[in-house]
Amino acid sequence: MKIFIIALTIVFSSVQAFCQGNNYIQNYKKYDGLALTPPMGWNSWNKFACDVDEKLIKEIADAMVSSGMKAAGYTYINIDDCWHGDRDSLGFIHPDPKRFPSGMKALTDYIHSKGLKMGIYSDAGSQTCGGRPGSRGYEFQDAQCYAKWGIDYLKYDWCNTEGLKAEGAYKTITAALRKAGRPMVLSICEWGNDKPWEWGPQVGHLWRTTGDIYNCFDCIKEHGTWHANGVMKILDMQKGLRQYAGPGHWNDPDMLEVGNGMVVNEDRAHFAMWCMIAAPLIAGNDLRTMSKETLEILTNKEVLAINQDELGIQGLQYSVKDSVETWFKPLKGGDWAVTFLNRSTSAKQITFDWKAEQVLDDLNKLSLNAASTTYNMRNVWTKKDVGTTKKELKANLPAHDVLMFRLTKAGSKK
Ligand code: GLA
């Protein structure tokens, strides 16, 4: 009898132990409380592609601080594709030892010591777009490495994912990040193929809505089997998506090309529109050598305040007339941002009779009625107060440029 009881106890406790080992419930929900305003930072891809190493990343972090970008709100230093070396015999990933000889933990410590945050890149498939090891089958190990290194942000790409379903693949990496235990922003990068705006808000903090951006105003860059899009083409592809954006979950029209070759008014228009549509602001230029004009665009506090507005409402296109688009964005405290965008290659004379227009943000039940309420107007690029909405606006708008105002109810204290 005694032996029987002992045997039963052993069997019972092994079953119990077995069950305990298998009762971990995956958490497929992103970390809450992150990216409550569109994330701001820098990413290596647009300028440096695969040519990344620890010296560059450290110098960029230094420049982020010394240029005033950090003070303006840019936080993340994100290494994109090609940092990878090989997996070891146990399957753990290591950085390329030639390019990152000090290792990722040391680099992340450096970034953190500057008061910045560190981002890294991987891919849901077998290989990244640049042909480096992807995370497929190694999600939990990779997440563990990122957590150990102190990573704060993961961009997760979609090359070489044959047979995978996007929502499931992104849920897997989210569950892996959860298991690893370190809160990270998850940037979903599946190019808008499988409507990430529908499932992305639960799983990640931002999702690419399109294929890659290219540093031209309105062109298409052919790459054989795929093409990249100029900034206006990308802007056009955001139609119908504003309802999906909000604090903690953003449409991502791709990283900035400001300072990468367009002329200054095009850069300004690009930046202004990314701010109007509450896009993540991830600079993609060489911060070490940028011009004064580029820095002024990227760090204009009044324009940034429109992007970073707490309500997190993506702006709306109000009208299109003769290649001039008018966009509005509701802001905290009853303010509005308005931007006139001239997409034509010639200057335009614009007129806008505020009192005759009825601006309605149907989605948020907000309206701007300048006939009953007068607004003070501030030009956020020149940082000048320029009268009120009582008077019809008449202005000359250069080609590929913007005119951008913040409207505040007259008499309200600011
Ligand atoms: C894809 C992404 C880009 C970049 C590259 C890296 O094209 O969309 O943003 O990350 O891969 O190879």
Side-chain angles (χ1 to χ4, degrees):
M1 185 61 182
K2 205 170 165 195
I3 292 180
F4 178 69
I5 290 173
I6 291 171
L8 207 65
T9 314
I10 291 172
V11 170
F12 183 68
S13 30
S14 336
V15 169
Q16 219 181 9
F18 177 79
C19 290
Q20 274 172 3
N22 285 282
N23 70 358
Y24 175 73
I25 297 168
Q26 310 273 25
N27 184 348
Y28 295 106
K29 289 225 166 88
K30 70 175 180 198
Y31 284 101
D32 281 327
L34 300 176
L36 296 179
T37 59
M40 293 173 65
W42 176 90
N43 173 293
S44 51
W45 185 254
N46 283 357
K47 178 72 186 176
F48 299 97
C50 271
D51 200 7
V52 287
D53 58 32
E54 65 183 37
K55 180 169 172 285
L56 169 74
I57 301 300
K58 281 181 167 179
E59 286 176 5
I60 292 287
D62 294 346
M64 184 83 110
V65 177
S66 63
S67 64
M69 295 259 302
K70 181 191 165 202
Y74 293 84
T75 306
Y76 294 98
I77 300 283
N78 296 348
I79 312 177
D80 207 276
D81 206 347
C82 304
W83 58 266
H84 319 67
D86 294 324
R87 293 191 182 280
D88 61 25
S89 61
L90 295 174
F92 290 102
I93 188 75
H94 295 270
D96 180 334
K98 286 208 191 75
R99 291 179 174 271
F100 295 90
S102 314
M104 280 300 170
K105 173 81 173 72
L107 185 53
T108 308
D109 286 349
Y110 184 83
I111 305 289
H112 287 164
S113 77
K114 300 264 150 187
L116 298 168
K117 293 188 169 159
M118 173 77 154
I120 212 164
Y121 162 101
S122 190
D123 187 291
S126 50
Q127 287 195 331
T128 69
C129 299
R132 304 307 196 271
S135 288
R136 188 170 184 171
Y138 297 92
E139 294 87 350
F140 284 73
Q141 275 178 290
D142 286 357
Q144 224 179 306
C145 290
Y146 308 153
K148 213 168 63 192
W149 296 338
I151 303 291
D152 306 292
Y153 184 118
L154 172 65
K155 173 176 168 184
Y156 203 57
D157 214 342
W158 193 241
C159 278
N160 307 301
T161 52
E162 292 72 20
L164 284 182
K165 178 116 178 60
E167 183 177 354
Y170 283 92
K171 276 186 170 165
T172 303
I173 195 65
T174 295
L177 294 174
R178 280 291 197 164
K179 183 84 170 69
R182 183 178 170 85
M184 276 179 228
V185 170
L186 178 64
S187 155
I188 297 171
C189 179
E190 62 80 80
W191 319 312
N193 290 357
D194 214 9
K195 298 192 179 156
W197 41 87
E198 286 181 355
W199 47 266
Q202 305 291 321
V203 183
H205 303 87
L206 58 156
W207 49 84
R208 283 274 295 279
T209 54
T210 70
D212 289 6
I213 197 168
Y214 188 70
N215 63 335
C216 66
F217 196 65
D218 208 0
C219 74
I220 289 183
K221 171 80 177 164
E222 288 297 342
H223 286 284
T225 53
W226 63 283
H227 65 264
N229 297 288
V231 295
M232 290 296 114
K233 297 275 182 282
I234 298 248
L235 182 64
D236 289 340
M237 290 182 233
Q238 309 308 311
K239 278 207 178 81
L241 297 183
R242 64 183 296 261
Q243 72 195 80
Y244 299 102
H249 50 99
W250 309 101
N251 288 311
D252 175 10
D254 207 357
M255 304 169 294
L256 295 166
E257 290 284 13
V258 174
N260 277 345
M262 286 185 285
V263 294
V264 70
N265 47 319
E266 294 178 335
D267 272 353
R268 181 166 47 234
H270 168 28
F271 193 74
M273 293 317 300
W274 262 231
C275 289
M276 287 299 285
I277 61 173
L281 297 178
I282 308 295
N285 59 314
D286 189 342
L287 305 186
R288 300 167 305 178
T289 55
M290 66 186 149
S291 67
K292 198 170 144 275
E293 287 84 1
T294 296
L295 180 64
E296 268 170 17
I297 291 174
L298 291 172
T299 57
N300 182 314
K301 288 211 169 108
E302 298 193 19
V303 178
L304 285 170
I306 290 169
N307 173 267
Q308 292 289 301
D309 185 79
E310 265 173 50
L311 295 184
I313 297 179
Q314 183 166 329
L316 59 106
Q317 191 192 57
Y318 174 69
S319 63
V320 184
K321 277 182 209 141
D322 189 21
S323 299
V324 175
E325 296 182 7
T326 306
W327 289 71
F328 282 88
K329 183 183 195 286
L331 305 172
K332 205 182 148 202
D335 285 11
W336 288 76
V338 53
T339 296
F340 299 91
L341 164 69
N342 180 4
R343 293 180 62 152
S344 122
T345 48
S346 51
K348 297 280 174 184
Q349 199 58 40
I350 56 166
T351 56
F352 197 82
D353 183 2
W354 304 98
K355 286 187 286 181
E357 308 282 344
Q358 284 284 336
V359 182
L360 177 66
D361 174 1
D362 236 348
L363 209 59
N364 299 289
K365 306 280 172 273
L366 294 167
S367 60
L368 185 156
N369 183 346
S372 57
T373 310
T374 299
Y375 289 82
N376 291 327
M377 295 169 57
R378 181 158 171 93
N379 183 323
V380 288
W381 283 110
T382 59
K383 298 187 179 138
K384 288 205 170 88
D385 295 328
V386 289
T388 75
T389 51
K390 274 189 183 155
K391 203 170 141 209
E392 185 179 62
L393 172 75
K394 282 188 195 305
N396 183 273
L397 185 49
H400 292 185
D401 209 341
V402 282
L403 194 56
M404 194 175 188
F405 302 103
R406 185 178 185 114
L407 308 182
T408 304
K409 277 181 198 158
S412 67
K413 280 192 194 136
K414 287 282 154 181

